[in-house]
Amino acid sequence: GEQVVSGTLNGDQHWGADRTWILDGIVYVESGRLTIDAGARVEGRPGSALVVTRAASLHAAGRADAPVVFTSNQADGTRQAGDWGGVVLLGDAPVNQLDAQIEGVPDNDPRGAFGGDNANGSCGVLEYARIEFAGFEVYANNELNGLTLGGCGSGTIVRHVQVHRALDDGIELFGGTADLRHILITGAGDDSLDWDWGWRGRVQFLIAQQYSSNGDNAFEADNNGDRHDARPRSEPVMYNVSLISPRSHDQHQRAMTLREGTGGHFHNLVISGFSGETLDIQDASTVVNLNDGTLTFDAVLVHNVGARGVTWFEDESESGDDDAGLDEHRYFQALPGMRFGEDPLFSRNAVDLARPDYTPGSASPLKNGAATPPQGEFWDETALYLGAVRPGAARVWTDGWTDFPLN
């Protein structure tokens, strides 16, 4: 059976796996907790979205053999990016934008407000879940993403989540301290992972796979466009990330654009196959972070980047200078934490659309030179390799619950 949901939800709600839940219009969870059972299916009609407001929370805990699936209400075979809006979680953790209001909700609607002073707060649980074909433009220049986290605190659990074929960004974080672990973003229409407004979360095991026909950056990172030095400053800490692109002939794709004063600490990354360039630092404020240790890179391997696969950076001289004269090529090629031109030995179908295989071969150089992840219950300290998947692994964390439908 099916059950259509629309309007506002108040108090505790429970969506079971015994029926399909159909979103009609923007559904706001205004209070209480929305629990979605393992194996449940939520389908969005055109123009719909699920917005869990600052006063409410989501508990959607699937299992590897029974993920929670958020997808399009259109018939299989006709589904496409932007069929519905996506999932928005709002919380009360710090952001560096006054009166922050989430994209995709009318400016004067208090249900779109987020942020506060509760860094340990929680927007809930999203685990073993897929979000597919999301991200419509709500109104001009105001798009929803597959998954949007606004001011979500460190108590939020986002683990084993795939965002597939989003029209805009795969995942966008506005401030907050939410952590991401075991994340797969496939075929994002704009950026795979985008952050702004002071996000300071931790990330371990993230794969971004770009498609040749669409997509911009794997990472697009900002602090605050109006005030580059706003506090708290965006400064995520990442380990074990694979950024994978087919070196498209149609799209200019870059592994990272870091701008508007963002910081960040990037360890155990592999960057493979981008048509544009490895990374672009923009704005003098971001260069300052490079110089004072707020923006760092350690154990990063880069392979097959640029039009012919051997030009790691693009020329920015004269009118192209967007970073106070920083020469990325010179800076990053001299950085001891960066390795260029070593083949990670992915199988050819690491960029396959239907059945990608993200496991590097057992002889991969990604086994060498890893930085040791920090201690603490969030981190897996045994991940002593570059990238999100252990080279030569027989079983992989993406197995069983992910899917790659074309339409």
Side-chain angles (χ1 to χ4, degrees), residues 92-95 117-123 149-157 173-180 197-203 232-233 236 378:
D92 57 0
V95 301
D117 52 17
N118 185 12
N120 301 319
S122 174
C123 288
L149 302 174
C152 288
S154 61
T156 310
I157 292 178
L173 300 108
F174 293 91
T177 47
D179 299 327
L180 304 175
W197 292 0
W199 176 50
R200 300 174 69 85
R202 301 172 297 181
V203 176
R233 185 187 298 282
F378 174 77

Side-chain angles (χ1 to χ4, degrees), residues 49-326:
L50 180 63
V51 177
V52 181
T53 67
R54 186 161 54 180
S57 68
L58 175 69
H59 188 92
R63 300 190 310 266
D65 62 346
V68 175
V69 178
F70 299 89
T71 190
S72 164
N73 180 234
Q74 303 303 300
D76 283 15
T78 70
R79 299 177 299 179
Q80 53 189 353
D83 274 351
W84 67 292
V87 177
V88 179
L89 304 180
L90 304 178
D92 57 0
V95 301
N96 66 27
Q97 177 79 3
L98 284 171
D99 302 321
Q101 183 81 5
I102 207 69
E103 295 175 349
V105 172
D107 283 346
N108 54 358
D109 191 327
R111 297 176 296 189
F114 65 97
D117 52 17
N118 185 12
N120 301 319
S122 174
C123 288
V125 175
L126 185 62
E127 193 165 31
Y128 285 110
R130 294 201 310 269
I131 301 173
E132 304 170 342
F133 305 110
F136 73 97
E137 184 170 71
V138 191
Y139 44 95
N141 297 319
N142 207 318
E143 295 96 2
L144 281 167
N145 309 293
L147 174 62
T148 306
L149 302 174
C152 288
S154 61
T156 310
I157 292 178
V158 180
R159 295 185 180 179
H160 290 97
V161 173
Q162 179 187 12
V163 179
H164 180 65
R165 292 188 184 262
L167 184 66
D168 191 44
D169 300 326
I171 300 178
E172 184 159 11
L173 300 108
F174 293 91
T177 47
D179 299 327
L180 304 175
R181 188 175 157 119
H182 291 116
I183 303 296
L184 174 60
I185 303 169
T186 43
D190 188 16
D191 309 308
S192 295
L193 181 69
D194 188 326
W195 67 83
D196 318 81
W197 292 0
W199 176 50
R200 300 174 69 85
R202 301 172 297 181
V203 176
Q204 191 174 23
F205 308 118
L206 180 145
I207 301 168
Q209 178 194 352
Q210 291 188 318
Y211 290 177
S212 62
S213 55
N214 59 0
D216 188 12
N217 307 283
F219 288 173
E220 184 170 278
D222 306 279
N223 184 42
N224 186 303
D226 300 322
R227 297 176 298 122
H228 289 193
D229 289 317
R231 295 290 194 274
R233 185 187 298 282
S234 297
E235 196 177 341
V237 177
M238 300 194 185
Y239 282 79
N240 301 100
V241 172
S242 299
L243 306 181
I244 298 172
S245 164
R247 204 153 58 79
S248 170
H249 296 292
D250 311 316
Q251 298 287 118
H252 178 276
Q253 295 177 335
R254 187 185 282 134
M256 297 189 211
T257 296
L258 306 172
R259 63 186 190 188
E260 294 179 357
T262 191
H265 303 281
F266 303 99
H267 314 260
N268 297 350
L269 267 67
V270 57
I271 293 170
S272 174
F274 289 77
S275 61
E277 59 180 336
T278 306
L279 58 88
D280 184 22
I281 306 283
Q282 296 178 13
D283 307 310
S285 54
T286 318
V287 177
V288 169
N289 298 336
L290 268 186
N291 294 330
D292 72 9
T294 305
L295 180 57
T296 62
F297 302 83
D298 184 27
V300 179
L301 185 149
V302 182
H303 180 253
N304 196 23
V305 170
R308 296 186 319 283
V310 291
T311 51
W312 317 119
F313 299 93
E314 294 176 337
D315 179 47
E316 290 182 351
S317 51
E318 291 149 26
S319 65
D321 177 28
D322 57 13
D323 49 27
L326 173 75

